[in-house]
Amino acid sequence: MRPQLTLTEAHGFASPCASSASDRRLNALVRHLVDASSSKSLAMDSQNPSDTISASPTSGFHADSVFAHVVRAPEDPILGVTVAYNKDPSPVKLNLGVGAYRTEEGKPVVLNVVRQAEQQLVNDRSRVKEYLPIVGLAEFNKLSAKLILGADSPAIQENRVTTVQCLSGTGSLRVGGEFLARHYHQRTIYIPLPTWGNHPKVFTLAGLSVNTYRYYDPTTRGMNFQGLLEDLGSAPSGAIVLLHACAHNPTGVDPTIQQWEQIRQLMRSKGLLPFFDSAYQGFASGSLDADAQSVRMFAADGGECLIAQSYAKNMGLYGERVGALSIMVLDNVGKGKGGGWLKDQFFDSHSHMECCCLVTIKVCKTADVASRVESQLKLVIRPMYSNPPIHGASIVATILKDRNLYDEWTIELKAMADRIISMRQKLFDALHVRGTPGDWSHIVKQIGMFTFTGLNSEQVAFMTREYHVYMTSDGRISMAGLSSRTVPHLADAIYAAVTRVV
C-alpha cells in the first residue's frame, strides 16, 4: 500500500502531522493528484513506444522557442529618444524629445490643483473602485464636452453630442478611427505633413487608409497654406481630415483665425469630415477658450465633426491616460452646413451591424442619432479595453465642476504656457547673441510645446554625439524641457551644428 503524503512532503519538505481541517483537505487533494498521476503512468507504460505522446513544440524542453523567428523591433522614434538619453552617463545631457512639461529646475510637476482634487477623492470614504460603464464617467464626459465646445454650445443643449471617456488622446483617436472605419462611407483620412508620428499608425491600425495634405513650408519654417487649400480642395468628397486644434505637433505652426475660416468653408463645401486632435487646450496660449476657437468655429455651423481630447498636458495627467472622444452629429433636419453622414437604417443587430445606405439625415431626430452613435462606440470599446480607468477621470471631473479649483487650474495652466513662451524668447536671444547663422525668428513665432527647429538629421546626430542633446531626428525640440540653466547649452549645440555640419 502506497504511503500517504502530506502537502509539504509531496514537495520534498518534512512536515508535522496535519491535524486541522484545512490540512486534511490539502492532503486529500495531494492524494488525488498522486493517484491520478500514477494511473496515467500505468496507462502510458502499457502503450507501444510508438504511441507515446511527445512534447509539443511549445513545451520549450527540446526545441527553440516558437517565437525564435521574431525580430527585434526598432525603438519608437519619440520614446526611443528617452531610452537613449537614460543610457547616457553625461552630467550635461539634455532630453528635449518627449513632450512632457518640466519645471525651471528640470523636474516633473504635479499641479497643486491636481493634488487638492486627489485629496478630496481620498477623503471621500463613500468612493469605491467598481468598474465604470463602457463609456466612462458620465460627469467627466459631460464636463469635457463643455470644456472644448463651450458651456453654451447649441450642440450640447440640443443633445447632438455624444462623448465617451477614452485612454487619453491616443485612445480617443483610435476609438474614433475604428468607429469611422466601420460606419462611415469614406475610409480615407487626410493628415497634415508633417504630423505627430503616432497618427499614421493609429489610423492605419484602426482600418483607415492614410493620405497627407501639405501643411509646413520648410523654406519659411511656417505654414504652406496654399498647399493645404489645394490638397484639401482635391480630396474626394466626404474624406476625413485630421486637424490639430492648436499647437500643431511637431511644427508649432497654427493657422490664423482667418485661415481657419477659409479651411472651414472649404471643408464644408466639399463635405469633408473634420476630426480634431485637441491635445493642448490651454497649454498653447494659456487660454482655454482661445485654444478651442478652431473647434468651436466648426461646431457653430451645425455640421458634424469628431474631437479627441487629452488631459495629459493641460492637467499634467500624463500617466493617468485621461481623454475623451466627442462626436457631434448634424443639427436639425437639413440645417447643418456640410451634410449628414450617418446611415439611414443605422444598424441591424441581426446583420453584424452592417448598414444599408448612406443618406442625409431626413427623419431621425439628432438626439436619437447621437444615442445610436454612442451604442456603436460601446461595441468598439468593449473588446478593446472594456471600460476606462476611474481615477484620472475623477480628478478631471472634480476640478472642472468646482469653481475654485477650476480657477486655480487656469492660473497654473497659464503659468506653464507662459514659461514655455519665455523659453522661446530666451533661446532666440541666445542664438542671436552667438551670431548663429540663419533666421531663427520661427522659434518665437511658433506656439505650444514644440519647436520645429529646421535642423536636419545629421545636425541632430552631431548635437547628440558632441553635446548630449537628445531630440527627434526631424529637429523637433520640446520647449517644455528647457530651462534658463540649459538654454545656453542648447544654443551652443545649435551654433556648433549649423556652423560645422551641412
Side-chain angles (χ1 to χ4, degrees):
M1 182 175 178
R2 184 169 53 251
Q4 295 180 355
L5 300 178
T6 65
L7 181 64
T8 49
E9 288 170 338
H11 284 79
F13 298 101
S15 169
C17 196
S19 59
S20 68
S22 60
D23 285 341
R24 287 195 298 274
R25 285 194 294 271
L26 291 173
N27 287 332
L29 175 61
V30 170
R31 287 197 302 273
H32 172 76
L33 294 174
V34 170
D35 289 342
S37 176
S38 299
S39 298
K40 290 182 179 179
S41 297
L42 290 173
M44 292 180 67
D45 290 342
S46 66
Q47 295 176 346
N48 291 327
S50 60
D51 295 333
T52 303
I53 299 174
S54 61
S56 72
T58 59
S59 67
F61 291 123
H62 305 293
D64 289 336
S65 167
V66 294
F67 303 112
H69 66 284
V70 175
V71 299
R72 185 176 302 279
E75 292 284 0
D76 180 270
I78 298 176
L79 300 182
V81 173
T82 298
V83 174
Y85 168 84
N86 289 335
K87 294 178 180 178
D88 188 342
S90 172
V92 297
K93 63 182 180 179
L94 180 59
N95 186 3
L96 302 176
V98 178
Y101 183 82
R102 295 292 182 263
T103 65
E104 179 65 21
E105 295 73 35
K107 303 295 184 182
V109 63
V110 178
L111 300 184
N112 290 329
V113 70
V114 168
R115 293 199 184 280
Q116 292 180 53
E118 283 189 308
Q119 192 60 56
Q120 287 187 21
L121 296 174
V122 169
N123 292 342
D124 184 358
R125 304 294 293 179
S126 67
R127 288 182 53 79
V128 294
K129 299 293 185 180
E130 292 292 305
Y131 290 123
L132 284 177
I134 296 174
V135 297
L137 189 65
E139 188 175 40
F140 165 85
N141 292 338
K142 180 180 179 180
L143 292 166
S144 293
K146 287 184 176 180
L147 183 69
I148 189 65
L149 296 173
D152 58 349
S153 168
I156 294 176
Q157 295 170 359
E158 296 163 10
N159 296 317
R160 293 191 286 110
V161 182
T162 184
T163 302
V164 295
Q165 179 188 339
C166 297
L167 304 183
S168 201
T170 306
S172 303
L173 293 166
R174 179 63 181 268
V175 170
E178 291 208 13
F179 173 82
L180 292 172
R182 296 184 190 186
H183 306 301
Y184 186 51
H185 69 289
Q186 273 280 6
R187 301 294 193 277
T188 300
I189 183 167
Y190 283 74
I191 63 177
L193 185 65
T195 191
W196 179 45
N198 220 16
H199 278 148
K201 304 168 191 174
V202 168
F203 291 120
T204 298
L205 291 174
L208 298 174
S209 297
V210 176
N211 213 327
T212 61
Y213 62 90
R214 284 171 285 175
Y215 187 89
Y216 179 74
D217 184 349
T219 59
T220 64
R221 296 175 184 173
M223 173 167 283
N224 183 355
F225 188 62
Q226 188 58 40
L228 179 151
L229 294 178
E230 290 173 2
D231 289 350
L232 294 187
S234 62
S237 177
I240 309 158
V241 179
L242 180 75
L243 301 167
H244 294 229
C246 67
H248 181 273
N249 178 6
T251 70
V253 176
D254 285 354
T256 65
I257 292 299
Q258 293 73 26
Q259 289 172 331
W260 271 121
E261 177 58 21
Q262 287 182 258
I263 295 170
R264 186 196 66 80
Q265 291 180 14
L266 172 62
M267 289 185 61
R268 293 311 195 194
S269 69
K270 290 185 59 68
L272 302 177
L273 180 64
F275 193 157
F276 281 97
D277 185 357
S278 178
Y280 303 98
Q281 186 182 358
F283 202 81
S285 68
S287 167
L288 290 161
D289 291 328
D291 290 348
Q293 277 186 294
S294 60
V295 176
R296 294 176 187 179
M297 288 171 66
F298 279 78
D301 67 17
E304 295 175 310
C305 68
L306 289 81
I307 310 158
Q309 290 173 265
S310 169
Y311 290 94
K313 309 298 192 297
N314 58 15
M315 282 195 186
L317 299 175
Y318 304 96
E320 299 291 353
R321 311 309 293 145
V322 194
L325 171 69
S326 292
I327 299 181
M328 182 186 309
V329 301
L330 196 69
D331 75 356
N332 296 324
V333 180
K335 290 184 179 179
K337 301 176 181 67
W341 55 271
L342 298 176
K343 301 177 181 179
D344 191 22
Q345 295 186 2
F346 195 63
F347 308 108
D348 177 1
S349 61
H350 300 292
S351 61
H352 302 287
M353 307 304 171
E354 293 182 356
C355 310
C356 298
C357 61
L358 174 75
V359 295
T360 300
I361 299 170
K362 294 180 180 178
V363 180
C364 296
K365 293 182 179 178
T366 53
D368 181 53
V369 174
S371 175
R372 284 181 278 158
V373 168
E374 181 181 287
S375 75
Q376 291 300 320
L377 288 171
K378 291 179 183 179
L379 296 187
V380 174
I381 293 170
R382 177 62 171 159
M384 188 185 294
Y385 55 86
S386 194
N387 55 312
I390 191 171
H391 186 66
S394 299
I395 294 172
V396 174
T398 300
I399 293 171
L400 295 184
K401 71 182 180 182
D402 183 294
R403 172 50 63 181
N404 291 331
L405 291 179
Y406 179 88
D407 289 344
E408 184 170 346
W409 174 48
T410 60
I411 293 171
E412 290 192 83
L413 184 54
K414 179 103 172 32
M416 288 192 292
D418 286 349
R419 198 187 83 76
I420 292 174
I421 293 170
S422 73
M423 288 302 104
R424 291 182 176 278
Q425 189 64 53
K426 287 180 183 296
L427 178 58
F428 172 77
D429 292 343
L431 291 171
H432 178 71
V433 166
R434 286 162 176 74
T436 310
D439 179 8
W440 298 92
S441 62
H442 60 283
I443 291 176
V444 291
K445 292 176 181 177
Q446 294 171 4
I447 191 171
M449 177 170 279
F450 300 107
T451 285
F452 218 41
T453 60
L455 297 167
N456 61 43
S457 58
E458 290 80 12
Q459 291 168 332
V460 170
F462 169 84
M463 291 170 61
T464 301
R465 184 176 62 254
E466 301 295 331
Y467 286 84
H468 306 276
V469 175
Y470 290 82
M471 66 182 81
T472 54
S473 60
D474 58 5
R476 186 197 79 166
I477 62 174
S478 172
M479 300 304 300
L482 274 179
S483 68
S484 300
R485 179 180 58 83
T486 57
V487 162
H489 180 63
L490 176 60
D492 288 341
I494 293 175
Y495 177 88
V498 299
T499 55
R500 295 166 57 183
V501 182
V502 178

